[in-house]
Amino acid sequence: LKLNSKNLPQISAADEAQVKVPTYQRDGAVKEGIVHIGVGGFHRAHLAVYIDQLMQKHGITDYAICGVGLQPFDAAMRDVLRSQDHLYTVIERSAKGSSAHVIGSINSYLFAPDDREAVIAKMAHPDTHIVSLTITESGYYYNENTHELQSEDPDIQFDLDPANKKAPRTTFGFLYAALERRHQQGLKPFTVMSCDNMQKNGSISRHMLESFARLRNPEVANWITDQGAFPNAMVDRITPQTSATDKTALADNFGIEDAWPVVTEPFMQWVIEDQFSDGRPPLDKVGVQVVKNVHDVEQFEKYKLRLLNGSHSALGYPGQLAGFKYVHQVMENPLFRRFMWQMMQEEIKPLLPEIPAFNIDEYCNTLIERFSNPKIMDQLPRICLNASGKIPQFIMPSIAEAIWVTGPFRRLCFSTAAWFCYINGVDDSGKTFEVDDPMREELQAKAHAGGTNPAELLSIKSLFGDDLRGDKRFIQEITTAMEDITRDGIMKTLPKYID
Ligand code: NAD
């Protein structure tokens, strides 16, 4: 059955499939309190699911979502959603089986290249209380080195030109245009709610938008500074890209013809700072951890970055070199499994703050279980891409702190050495693979020049700073690991790192 509003009763009536469908009212019966930019896989598996639960279980009608696509390639999402009355299916998969759930919280969709004014008008509408974002890191125009807006970027330059104010290109161009209108109309600013996987996502959104606004109109910028809200948040749910077989499996197992379902894991988490300028839905009713201040978010974030993202990277690069294809295949290997557990427990855990009523061992166990999920089919290249943005955030801080407290860090060094070897793009069997990294050219030149000596790569200041290069113990560990991996391969080297 094709997924659309008309077919929902039949889809849910097919007893054997047990598909959950929205039974709440949609379209004109609800208000679209959230405008979301970047309707990709993650948004549809995360925020849209929480809102669906609020609408279904708690009768919330003021916070349905209007999706927005700014990129030309979002035309595909526009077409799919419109042809399905904005409905889509979330397929949850675990070792225990899979379930299908039709989500109805996305109530409409605007494709900016079709009508940019419609997007600005929607954000400026009094019913809009929140503009949320999953626009990937590149959407923030954030300069990692200076921590400032990339104001020289041609798209930002275009949007800063008042002549283009009715047809912006970037997220900040749209946010500014809509906020300026709200300011003129005496409305409150909407909350800008980033759900991107970045540390301090709220603070970065605030700083980028305020910088943009200041270049356009200081009065509006001051109003945003005084009255705007940009909650920081930690988001988590592993959501790989949808494959053609996912669609076929949905049709075969649940009888639903959905042109773009989302596949994800049962686990989901969202910790968000309680900072909203124009009201918020009762997110805590559906399991969102709404916390008092940024410090609380940062603690959870640290756990996630160091344990989840750090471990993901620590299995990704050696896994790829060893010839594995999927995350769960790496975890099925008993050596890797023990390596991961020992790295988490002995090297990362001692460096983390205690969070009251939070059980770190349980968290580590859940991570091992999530990574082992054989049904998610999370590909290693997805885990490995953009390492230069990941390792300095996920692994190096643990190494730096371990050096500081003279703690153990051999496994963290092995993982970093595996990344250094991975940069060459050749696995242990001699097969080449694609290295997807914005710094690829520089990294490969350094890796080539250095061979098994890490000094060349470690000389990239923007990634490693100055401090680590002077630490003899660190240099020795990395060099030994690189020599061993290069000579013997991952699977022969790994046992040296397991007690
Ligand atoms: P996706 O490729 O399915 O969707 C990306 C979305 O971002 C698209 O809608 C695209 O239009 C939009 N986008 C990209 N560049 C943009 C720009 N410059 N301006 C405006 N919009 C832009 O990817 P996804 O899996 O949905 O991931 C999106 C983000 O979600 C990630 O960058 C990450 O921060 C966060 N996230 C993802 C996961 C996951 O497991 N997939 C988990 C946690 C957080």
Side-chain angles (χ1 to χ4, degrees), residues 37-43 70-71 73-74 134-139 141 171 195-198 235-241 304 382:
I37 307 181
V39 181
F42 181 66
H43 169 67
L70 297 191
Q71 302 292 321
F73 57 79
D74 287 320
T134 46
I135 53 175
T136 77
E137 273 184 39
S138 64
Y141 296 89
T171 296
C195 297
D196 271 296
N197 212 355
M198 288 187 314
V235 294
D236 191 6
R237 191 172 208 191
I238 298 172
T239 312
Q241 285 186 347
K304 190 199 161 213
R382 185 185 87 87

PDB file of all heavy atoms in Angstrom, residues 37-43 70-71 73-74 134-139 141 171 195-198 235-241 304 382, ligand 1:
ATOM      1  N   ILE A  37      14.951  23.350   9.502  1.00  0.00           N
ATOM      2  CA  ILE A  37      15.797  23.394   8.291  1.00  0.00           C
ATOM      3  C   ILE A  37      16.692  22.158   8.270  1.00  0.00           C
ATOM      4  O   ILE A  37      17.418  21.892   9.235  1.00  0.00           O
ATOM      5  CB  ILE A  37      16.683  24.653   8.263  1.00  0.00           C
ATOM      6  CG1 ILE A  37      15.828  25.913   8.446  1.00  0.00           C
ATOM      7  CG2 ILE A  37      17.469  24.722   6.952  1.00  0.00           C
ATOM      8  CD1 ILE A  37      16.631  27.215   8.405  1.00  0.00           C
ATOM      9  N   GLY A  38      16.651  21.399   7.164  1.00  0.00           N
ATOM     10  CA  GLY A  38      17.527  20.225   7.015  1.00  0.00           C
ATOM     11  C   GLY A  38      16.805  18.931   7.335  1.00  0.00           C
ATOM     12  O   GLY A  38      17.183  18.204   8.262  1.00  0.00           O
ATOM     13  N   VAL A  39      15.746  18.635   6.570  1.00  0.00           N
ATOM     14  CA  VAL A  39      14.984  17.410   6.831  1.00  0.00           C
ATOM     15  C   VAL A  39      15.710  16.231   6.190  1.00  0.00           C
ATOM     16  O   VAL A  39      15.451  15.849   5.057  1.00  0.00           O
ATOM     17  CB  VAL A  39      13.541  17.544   6.285  1.00  0.00           C
ATOM     18  CG1 VAL A  39      12.744  16.282   6.578  1.00  0.00           C
ATOM     19  CG2 VAL A  39      12.854  18.743   6.914  1.00  0.00           C
ATOM     20  N   GLY A  40      16.668  15.702   6.913  1.00  0.00           N
ATOM     21  CA  GLY A  40      17.406  14.528   6.443  1.00  0.00           C
ATOM     22  C   GLY A  40      17.021  13.326   7.284  1.00  0.00           C
ATOM     23  O   GLY A  40      15.962  13.306   7.930  1.00  0.00           O
ATOM     24  N   GLY A  41      17.894  12.326   7.294  1.00  0.00           N
ATOM     25  CA  GLY A  41      17.607  11.104   8.043  1.00  0.00           C
ATOM     26  C   GLY A  41      17.524  11.377   9.534  1.00  0.00           C
ATOM     27  O   GLY A  41      16.579  10.950  10.210  1.00  0.00           O
ATOM     28  N   PHE A  42      18.485  12.121  10.060  1.00  0.00           N
ATOM     29  CA  PHE A  42      18.540  12.272  11.507  1.00  0.00           C
ATOM     30  C   PHE A  42      17.334  13.031  12.058  1.00  0.00           C
ATOM     31  O   PHE A  42      16.732  12.616  13.047  1.00  0.00           O
ATOM     32  CB  PHE A  42      19.850  12.953  11.939  1.00  0.00           C
ATOM     33  CG  PHE A  42      19.929  13.080  13.424  1.00  0.00           C
ATOM     34  CD1 PHE A  42      20.023  11.946  14.227  1.00  0.00           C
ATOM     35  CD2 PHE A  42      19.868  14.314  14.046  1.00  0.00           C
ATOM     36  CE1 PHE A  42      20.051  12.050  15.616  1.00  0.00           C
ATOM     37  CE2 PHE A  42      19.907  14.427  15.432  1.00  0.00           C
ATOM     38  CZ  PHE A  42      20.003  13.292  16.207  1.00  0.00           C
ATOM     39  N   HIS A  43      16.960  14.114  11.427  1.00  0.00           N
ATOM     40  CA  HIS A  43      15.793  14.872  11.914  1.00  0.00           C
ATOM     41  C   HIS A  43      14.558  13.971  11.936  1.00  0.00           C
ATOM     42  O   HIS A  43      13.767  13.991  12.887  1.00  0.00           O
ATOM     43  CB  HIS A  43      15.528  16.080  11.012  1.00  0.00           C
ATOM     44  CG  HIS A  43      14.207  16.721  11.298  1.00  0.00           C
ATOM     45  ND1 HIS A  43      13.941  17.376  12.475  1.00  0.00           N
ATOM     46  CD2 HIS A  43      13.047  16.779  10.568  1.00  0.00           C
ATOM     47  CE1 HIS A  43      12.688  17.809  12.464  1.00  0.00           C
ATOM     48  NE2 HIS A  43      12.136  17.457  11.322  1.00  0.00           N
ATOM     49  N   LEU A  70      16.957  23.868   2.065  1.00  0.00           N
ATOM     50  CA  LEU A  70      17.610  25.029   1.436  1.00  0.00           C
ATOM     51  C   LEU A  70      18.458  24.619   0.237  1.00  0.00           C
ATOM     52  O   LEU A  70      18.761  25.436  -0.619  1.00  0.00           O
ATOM     53  CB  LEU A  70      18.536  25.730   2.441  1.00  0.00           C
ATOM     54  CG  LEU A  70      17.939  26.362   3.691  1.00  0.00           C
ATOM     55  CD1 LEU A  70      18.994  27.227   4.386  1.00  0.00           C
ATOM     56  CD2 LEU A  70      16.738  27.214   3.345  1.00  0.00           C
ATOM     57  N   GLN A  71      18.880  23.359   0.218  1.00  0.00           N
ATOM     58  CA  GLN A  71      19.833  22.911  -0.801  1.00  0.00           C
ATOM     59  C   GLN A  71      19.106  22.409  -2.051  1.00  0.00           C
ATOM     60  O   GLN A  71      18.042  21.787  -1.925  1.00  0.00           O
ATOM     61  CB  GLN A  71      20.680  21.759  -0.244  1.00  0.00           C
ATOM     62  CG  GLN A  71      21.450  22.111   1.005  1.00  0.00           C
ATOM     63  CD  GLN A  71      22.544  23.122   0.716  1.00  0.00           C
ATOM     64  OE1 GLN A  71      23.210  23.049  -0.313  1.00  0.00           O
ATOM     65  NE2 GLN A  71      22.722  24.080   1.606  1.00  0.00           N
ATOM     66  N   PHE A  73      19.610  19.834  -3.728  1.00  0.00           N
ATOM     67  CA  PHE A  73      19.349  18.384  -3.681  1.00  0.00           C
ATOM     68  C   PHE A  73      18.186  18.010  -2.756  1.00  0.00           C
ATOM     69  O   PHE A  73      17.723  16.880  -2.750  1.00  0.00           O
ATOM     70  CB  PHE A  73      20.609  17.592  -3.310  1.00  0.00           C
ATOM     71  CG  PHE A  73      21.251  17.984  -2.002  1.00  0.00           C
ATOM     72  CD1 PHE A  73      20.730  17.549  -0.795  1.00  0.00           C
ATOM     73  CD2 PHE A  73      22.379  18.802  -1.991  1.00  0.00           C
ATOM     74  CE1 PHE A  73      21.312  17.912   0.411  1.00  0.00           C
ATOM     75  CE2 PHE A  73      22.976  19.177  -0.791  1.00  0.00           C
ATOM     76  CZ  PHE A  73      22.439  18.727   0.416  1.00  0.00           C
ATOM     77  N   ASP A  74      17.677  18.981  -1.984  1.00  0.00           N
ATOM     78  CA  ASP A  74      16.510  18.697  -1.141  1.00  0.00           C
ATOM     79  C   ASP A  74      15.227  18.563  -1.963  1.00  0.00           C
ATOM     80  O   ASP A  74      14.172  18.214  -1.412  1.00  0.00           O
ATOM     81  CB  ASP A  74      16.334  19.789  -0.081  1.00  0.00           C
ATOM     82  CG  ASP A  74      17.378  19.697   1.015  1.00  0.00           C
ATOM     83  OD1 ASP A  74      17.703  18.575   1.430  1.00  0.00           O
ATOM     84  OD2 ASP A  74      17.891  20.749   1.454  1.00  0.00           O
ATOM     85  N   THR A 134      19.155  20.886  11.491  1.00  0.00           N
ATOM     86  CA  THR A 134      20.175  19.831  11.292  1.00  0.00           C
ATOM     87  C   THR A 134      20.739  20.108   9.901  1.00  0.00           C
ATOM     88  O   THR A 134      20.272  19.583   8.907  1.00  0.00           O
ATOM     89  CB  THR A 134      19.620  18.381  11.361  1.00  0.00           C
ATOM     90  OG1 THR A 134      18.433  18.294  10.584  1.00  0.00           O
ATOM     91  CG2 THR A 134      19.355  17.923  12.767  1.00  0.00           C
ATOM     92  N   ILE A 135      21.728  20.962   9.864  1.00  0.00           N
ATOM     93  CA  ILE A 135      22.227  21.471   8.581  1.00  0.00           C
ATOM     94  C   ILE A 135      23.674  21.034   8.357  1.00  0.00           C
ATOM     95  O   ILE A 135      24.333  21.576   7.466  1.00  0.00           O
ATOM     96  CB  ILE A 135      22.101  23.015   8.525  1.00  0.00           C
ATOM     97  CG1 ILE A 135      22.764  23.661   9.754  1.00  0.00           C
ATOM     98  CG2 ILE A 135      20.635  23.422   8.468  1.00  0.00           C
ATOM     99  CD1 ILE A 135      22.788  25.190   9.709  1.00  0.00           C
ATOM    100  N   THR A 136      24.166  20.101   9.129  1.00  0.00           N
ATOM    101  CA  THR A 136      25.543  19.604   9.125  1.00  0.00           C
ATOM    102  C   THR A 136      26.505  20.739   9.489  1.00  0.00           C
ATOM    103  O   THR A 136      26.146  21.926   9.413  1.00  0.00           O
ATOM    104  CB  THR A 136      25.978  18.948   7.788  1.00  0.00           C
ATOM    105  OG1 THR A 136      26.263  19.956   6.834  1.00  0.00           O
ATOM    106  CG2 THR A 136      24.937  17.988   7.256  1.00  0.00           C
ATOM    107  N   GLU A 137      27.719  20.383   9.843  1.00  0.00           N
ATOM    108  CA  GLU A 137      28.669  21.399  10.320  1.00  0.00           C
ATOM    109  C   GLU A 137      28.906  22.497   9.297  1.00  0.00           C
ATOM    110  O   GLU A 137      29.063  23.668   9.630  1.00  0.00           O
ATOM    111  CB  GLU A 137      30.007  20.731  10.655  1.00  0.00           C
ATOM    112  CG  GLU A 137      30.039  20.224  12.067  1.00  0.00           C
ATOM    113  CD  GLU A 137      31.378  19.657  12.443  1.00  0.00           C
ATOM    114  OE1 GLU A 137      32.401  20.217  12.040  1.00  0.00           O
ATOM    115  OE2 GLU A 137      31.377  18.634  13.147  1.00  0.00           O
ATOM    116  N   SER A 138      28.901  22.094   8.005  1.00  0.00           N
ATOM    117  CA  SER A 138      29.227  23.078   6.968  1.00  0.00           C
ATOM    118  C   SER A 138      28.173  24.179   6.891  1.00  0.00           C
ATOM    119  O   SER A 138      28.449  25.266   6.397  1.00  0.00           O
ATOM    120  CB  SER A 138      29.384  22.386   5.621  1.00  0.00           C
ATOM    121  OG  SER A 138      28.143  21.815   5.258  1.00  0.00           O
ATOM    122  N   GLY A 139      26.983  23.912   7.378  1.00  0.00           N
ATOM    123  CA  GLY A 139      25.908  24.904   7.317  1.00  0.00           C
ATOM    124  C   GLY A 139      26.084  26.063   8.283  1.00  0.00           C
ATOM    125  O   GLY A 139      25.347  27.048   8.214  1.00  0.00           O
ATOM    126  N   TYR A 141      29.016  27.852   8.779  1.00  0.00           N
ATOM    127  CA  TYR A 141      30.042  28.812   8.338  1.00  0.00           C
ATOM    128  C   TYR A 141      30.917  29.236   9.528  1.00  0.00           C
ATOM    129  O   TYR A 141      31.196  30.413   9.743  1.00  0.00           O
ATOM    130  CB  TYR A 141      29.391  30.033   7.660  1.00  0.00           C
ATOM    131  CG  TYR A 141      28.660  29.636   6.401  1.00  0.00           C
ATOM    132  CD1 TYR A 141      27.317  29.255   6.439  1.00  0.00           C
ATOM    133  CD2 TYR A 141      29.331  29.573   5.188  1.00  0.00           C
ATOM    134  CE1 TYR A 141      26.655  28.833   5.301  1.00  0.00           C
ATOM    135  CE2 TYR A 141      28.674  29.170   4.036  1.00  0.00           C
ATOM    136  CZ  TYR A 141      27.340  28.801   4.099  1.00  0.00           C
ATOM    137  OH  TYR A 141      26.690  28.389   2.971  1.00  0.00           O
ATOM    138  N   THR A 171      21.402  29.508   5.796  1.00  0.00           N
ATOM    139  CA  THR A 171      20.529  29.438   6.973  1.00  0.00           C
ATOM    140  C   THR A 171      20.508  30.781   7.701  1.00  0.00           C
ATOM    141  O   THR A 171      19.449  31.259   8.104  1.00  0.00           O
ATOM    142  CB  THR A 171      21.064  28.337   7.915  1.00  0.00           C
ATOM    143  OG1 THR A 171      20.963  27.091   7.221  1.00  0.00           O
ATOM    144  CG2 THR A 171      20.276  28.261   9.210  1.00  0.00           C
ATOM    145  N   CYS A 195      20.145  20.943  16.405  1.00  0.00           N
ATOM    146  CA  CYS A 195      20.212  19.509  16.750  1.00  0.00           C
ATOM    147  C   CYS A 195      21.383  18.887  15.995  1.00  0.00           C
ATOM    148  O   CYS A 195      21.374  17.689  15.704  1.00  0.00           O
ATOM    149  CB  CYS A 195      18.917  18.807  16.379  1.00  0.00           C
ATOM    150  SG  CYS A 195      17.489  19.415  17.280  1.00  0.00           S
ATOM    151  N   ASP A 196      22.363  19.683  15.631  1.00  0.00           N
ATOM    152  CA  ASP A 196      23.541  19.137  14.962  1.00  0.00           C
ATOM    153  C   ASP A 196      24.523  18.637  15.996  1.00  0.00           C
ATOM    154  O   ASP A 196      24.581  19.116  17.123  1.00  0.00           O
ATOM    155  CB  ASP A 196      24.181  20.196  14.050  1.00  0.00           C
ATOM    156  CG  ASP A 196      23.593  20.164  12.655  1.00  0.00           C
ATOM    157  OD1 ASP A 196      23.759  19.138  11.974  1.00  0.00           O
ATOM    158  OD2 ASP A 196      22.946  21.154  12.266  1.00  0.00           O
ATOM    159  N   ASN A 197      25.311  17.669  15.531  1.00  0.00           N
ATOM    160  CA  ASN A 197      26.245  16.970  16.393  1.00  0.00           C
ATOM    161  C   ASN A 197      27.509  17.803  16.565  1.00  0.00           C
ATOM    162  O   ASN A 197      28.535  17.470  16.011  1.00  0.00           O
ATOM    163  CB  ASN A 197      26.599  15.673  15.652  1.00  0.00           C
ATOM    164  CG  ASN A 197      26.873  14.562  16.598  1.00  0.00           C
ATOM    165  OD1 ASN A 197      26.903  14.757  17.809  1.00  0.00           O
ATOM    166  ND2 ASN A 197      27.095  13.392  16.044  1.00  0.00           N
ATOM    167  N   MET A 198      27.412  18.899  17.274  1.00  0.00           N
ATOM    168  CA  MET A 198      28.586  19.755  17.469  1.00  0.00           C
ATOM    169  C   MET A 198      28.610  20.154  18.924  1.00  0.00           C
ATOM    170  O   MET A 198      27.561  20.445  19.503  1.00  0.00           O
ATOM    171  CB  MET A 198      28.435  21.062  16.680  1.00  0.00           C
ATOM    172  CG  MET A 198      28.567  20.963  15.205  1.00  0.00           C
ATOM    173  SD  MET A 198      28.557  22.616  14.482  1.00  0.00           S
ATOM    174  CE  MET A 198      27.220  23.450  15.285  1.00  0.00           C
ATOM    175  N   VAL A 235      22.589  15.428  21.165  1.00  0.00           N
ATOM    176  CA  VAL A 235      21.615  14.567  20.474  1.00  0.00           C
ATOM    177  C   VAL A 235      22.267  13.229  20.150  1.00  0.00           C
ATOM    178  O   VAL A 235      23.463  13.171  19.902  1.00  0.00           O
ATOM    179  CB  VAL A 235      21.122  15.219  19.161  1.00  0.00           C
ATOM    180  CG1 VAL A 235      20.321  16.466  19.430  1.00  0.00           C
ATOM    181  CG2 VAL A 235      22.281  15.530  18.220  1.00  0.00           C
ATOM    182  N   ASP A 236      21.480  12.174  20.175  1.00  0.00           N
ATOM    183  CA  ASP A 236      22.063  10.863  19.892  1.00  0.00           C
ATOM    184  C   ASP A 236      21.015   9.883  19.368  1.00  0.00           C
ATOM    185  O   ASP A 236      20.002   9.642  20.019  1.00  0.00           O
ATOM    186  CB  ASP A 236      22.694  10.305  21.184  1.00  0.00           C
ATOM    187  CG  ASP A 236      23.551   9.071  20.922  1.00  0.00           C
ATOM    188  OD1 ASP A 236      23.752   8.724  19.741  1.00  0.00           O
ATOM    189  OD2 ASP A 236      24.006   8.461  21.907  1.00  0.00           O
ATOM    190  N   ARG A 237      21.236   9.373  18.202  1.00  0.00           N
ATOM    191  CA  ARG A 237      20.510   8.227  17.664  1.00  0.00           C
ATOM    192  C   ARG A 237      21.228   7.843  16.372  1.00  0.00           C
ATOM    193  O   ARG A 237      21.284   8.672  15.440  1.00  0.00           O
ATOM    194  CB  ARG A 237      19.045   8.555  17.375  1.00  0.00           C
ATOM    195  CG  ARG A 237      18.256   7.301  17.075  1.00  0.00           C
ATOM    196  CD  ARG A 237      16.756   7.539  16.975  1.00  0.00           C
ATOM    197  NE  ARG A 237      16.066   6.314  17.358  1.00  0.00           N
ATOM    198  CZ  ARG A 237      14.774   6.085  17.196  1.00  0.00           C
ATOM    199  NH1 ARG A 237      13.998   7.007  16.684  1.00  0.00           N
ATOM    200  NH2 ARG A 237      14.242   4.935  17.559  1.00  0.00           N
ATOM    201  N   ILE A 238      21.748   6.645  16.298  1.00  0.00           N
ATOM    202  CA  ILE A 238      22.497   6.246  15.107  1.00  0.00           C
ATOM    203  C   ILE A 238      21.516   6.060  13.942  1.00  0.00           C
ATOM    204  O   ILE A 238      20.597   5.250  14.019  1.00  0.00           O
ATOM    205  CB  ILE A 238      23.306   4.955  15.368  1.00  0.00           C
ATOM    206  CG1 ILE A 238      24.345   5.207  16.477  1.00  0.00           C
ATOM    207  CG2 ILE A 238      23.988   4.481  14.087  1.00  0.00           C
ATOM    208  CD1 ILE A 238      25.072   3.968  16.961  1.00  0.00           C
ATOM    209  N   THR A 239      21.731   6.844  12.883  1.00  0.00           N
ATOM    210  CA  THR A 239      20.809   6.853  11.742  1.00  0.00           C
ATOM    211  C   THR A 239      21.591   6.791  10.437  1.00  0.00           C
ATOM    212  O   THR A 239      22.021   7.827   9.924  1.00  0.00           O
ATOM    213  CB  THR A 239      19.941   8.140  11.772  1.00  0.00           C
ATOM    214  OG1 THR A 239      19.409   8.312  13.082  1.00  0.00           O
ATOM    215  CG2 THR A 239      18.812   8.068  10.771  1.00  0.00           C
ATOM    216  N   PRO A 240      21.815   5.591   9.920  1.00  0.00           N
ATOM    217  CA  PRO A 240      22.546   5.505   8.641  1.00  0.00           C
ATOM    218  C   PRO A 240      21.685   5.967   7.478  1.00  0.00           C
ATOM    219  O   PRO A 240      20.481   6.165   7.639  1.00  0.00           O
ATOM    220  CB  PRO A 240      22.879   4.019   8.520  1.00  0.00           C
ATOM    221  CG  PRO A 240      22.089   3.302   9.546  1.00  0.00           C
ATOM    222  CD  PRO A 240      21.396   4.290  10.427  1.00  0.00           C
ATOM    223  N   GLN A 241      22.326   6.119   6.319  1.00  0.00           N
ATOM    224  CA  GLN A 241      21.538   6.522   5.148  1.00  0.00           C
ATOM    225  C   GLN A 241      20.638   5.377   4.703  1.00  0.00           C
ATOM    226  O   GLN A 241      21.016   4.218   4.798  1.00  0.00           O
ATOM    227  CB  GLN A 241      22.479   6.918   4.019  1.00  0.00           C
ATOM    228  CG  GLN A 241      23.078   8.269   4.303  1.00  0.00           C
ATOM    229  CD  GLN A 241      23.912   8.795   3.168  1.00  0.00           C
ATOM    230  OE1 GLN A 241      24.247   8.062   2.247  1.00  0.00           O
ATOM    231  NE2 GLN A 241      24.261  10.059   3.255  1.00  0.00           N
ATOM    232  N   LYS A 304      29.312  11.530  25.656  1.00  0.00           N
ATOM    233  CA  LYS A 304      28.997  11.080  24.307  1.00  0.00           C
ATOM    234  C   LYS A 304      30.208  11.222  23.394  1.00  0.00           C
ATOM    235  O   LYS A 304      30.558  10.293  22.658  1.00  0.00           O
ATOM    236  CB  LYS A 304      27.822  11.881  23.760  1.00  0.00           C
ATOM    237  CG  LYS A 304      27.328  11.282  22.490  1.00  0.00           C
ATOM    238  CD  LYS A 304      26.512  12.207  21.672  1.00  0.00           C
ATOM    239  CE  LYS A 304      26.467  11.677  20.268  1.00  0.00           C
ATOM    240  NZ  LYS A 304      26.409  12.725  19.287  1.00  0.00           N
ATOM    241  N   ARG A 382      31.131   5.628   6.648  1.00  0.00           N
ATOM    242  CA  ARG A 382      30.366   6.720   7.257  1.00  0.00           C
ATOM    243  C   ARG A 382      31.012   7.137   8.585  1.00  0.00           C
ATOM    244  O   ARG A 382      31.118   8.319   8.909  1.00  0.00           O
ATOM    245  CB  ARG A 382      28.910   6.292   7.506  1.00  0.00           C
ATOM    246  CG  ARG A 382      28.020   7.424   8.020  1.00  0.00           C
ATOM    247  CD  ARG A 382      26.615   6.958   8.373  1.00  0.00           C
ATOM    248  NE  ARG A 382      26.503   6.453   9.731  1.00  0.00           N
ATOM    249  CZ  ARG A 382      26.250   7.202  10.804  1.00  0.00           C
ATOM    250  NH1 ARG A 382      26.078   8.495  10.687  1.00  0.00           N
ATOM    251  NH2 ARG A 382      26.158   6.657  12.011  1.00  0.00           N
TER     252      ARG A 382
HETATM  253  P1  NAD B   1      21.401  13.752   5.769  1.00  0.00           P
HETATM  254  O1  NAD B   1      22.408  13.770   4.702  1.00  0.00           O
HETATM  255  O2  NAD B   1      20.317  12.761   5.752  1.00  0.00           O
HETATM  256  O3  NAD B   1      20.713  15.200   5.869  1.00  0.00           O
HETATM  257  C1  NAD B   1      21.453  16.369   5.881  1.00  0.00           C
HETATM  258  C2  NAD B   1      20.515  17.559   5.827  1.00  0.00           C
HETATM  259  O4  NAD B   1      21.295  18.720   6.027  1.00  0.00           O
HETATM  260  C3  NAD B   1      19.807  17.720   4.491  1.00  0.00           C
HETATM  261  O5  NAD B   1      18.472  17.983   4.713  1.00  0.00           O
HETATM  262  C4  NAD B   1      20.488  18.944   3.879  1.00  0.00           C
HETATM  263  O6  NAD B   1      19.638  19.721   3.140  1.00  0.00           O
HETATM  264  C5  NAD B   1      20.922  19.703   5.091  1.00  0.00           C
HETATM  265  N1  NAD B   1      22.093  20.539   4.792  1.00  0.00           N
HETATM  266  C6  NAD B   1      23.329  20.132   4.440  1.00  0.00           C
HETATM  267  N2  NAD B   1      24.128  21.200   4.259  1.00  0.00           N
HETATM  268  C7  NAD B   1      23.360  22.301   4.489  1.00  0.00           C
HETATM  269  C8  NAD B   1      23.609  23.700   4.457  1.00  0.00           C
HETATM  270  N3  NAD B   1      24.799  24.182   4.126  1.00  0.00           N
HETATM  271  N4  NAD B   1      22.584  24.538   4.763  1.00  0.00           N
HETATM  272  C9  NAD B   1      21.362  24.062   5.082  1.00  0.00           C
HETATM  273  N5  NAD B   1      21.068  22.760   5.118  1.00  0.00           N
HETATM  274  C10 NAD B   1      22.055  21.882   4.832  1.00  0.00           C
HETATM  275  O7  NAD B   1      22.246  13.663   7.121  1.00  0.00           O
HETATM  276  P2  NAD B   1      21.716  13.321   8.595  1.00  0.00           P
HETATM  277  O8  NAD B   1      22.095  11.933   8.923  1.00  0.00           O
HETATM  278  O9  NAD B   1      20.326  13.752   8.733  1.00  0.00           O
HETATM  279  O10 NAD B   1      22.665  14.233   9.469  1.00  0.00           O
HETATM  280  C11 NAD B   1      22.447  15.610   9.602  1.00  0.00           C
HETATM  281  C12 NAD B   1      23.110  16.076  10.856  1.00  0.00           C
HETATM  282  O11 NAD B   1      22.481  15.460  11.967  1.00  0.00           O
HETATM  283  C13 NAD B   1      24.587  15.685  10.978  1.00  0.00           C
HETATM  284  O12 NAD B   1      25.433  16.606  10.417  1.00  0.00           O
HETATM  285  C14 NAD B   1      24.767  15.610  12.467  1.00  0.00           C
HETATM  286  O13 NAD B   1      25.164  16.866  12.951  1.00  0.00           O
HETATM  287  C15 NAD B   1      23.383  15.294  13.014  1.00  0.00           C
HETATM  288  N6  NAD B   1      23.356  13.926  13.579  1.00  0.00           N
HETATM  289  C16 NAD B   1      23.304  12.822  12.765  1.00  0.00           C
HETATM  290  C17 NAD B   1      23.311  11.549  13.338  1.00  0.00           C
HETATM  291  C18 NAD B   1      23.263  10.298  12.480  1.00  0.00           C
HETATM  292  O14 NAD B   1      23.479   9.207  13.020  1.00  0.00           O
HETATM  293  N7  NAD B   1      22.962  10.379  11.211  1.00  0.00           N
HETATM  294  C19 NAD B   1      23.356  11.409  14.731  1.00  0.00           C
HETATM  295  C20 NAD B   1      23.404  12.557  15.533  1.00  0.00           C
HETATM  296  C21 NAD B   1      23.393  13.807  14.928  1.00  0.00           C
END
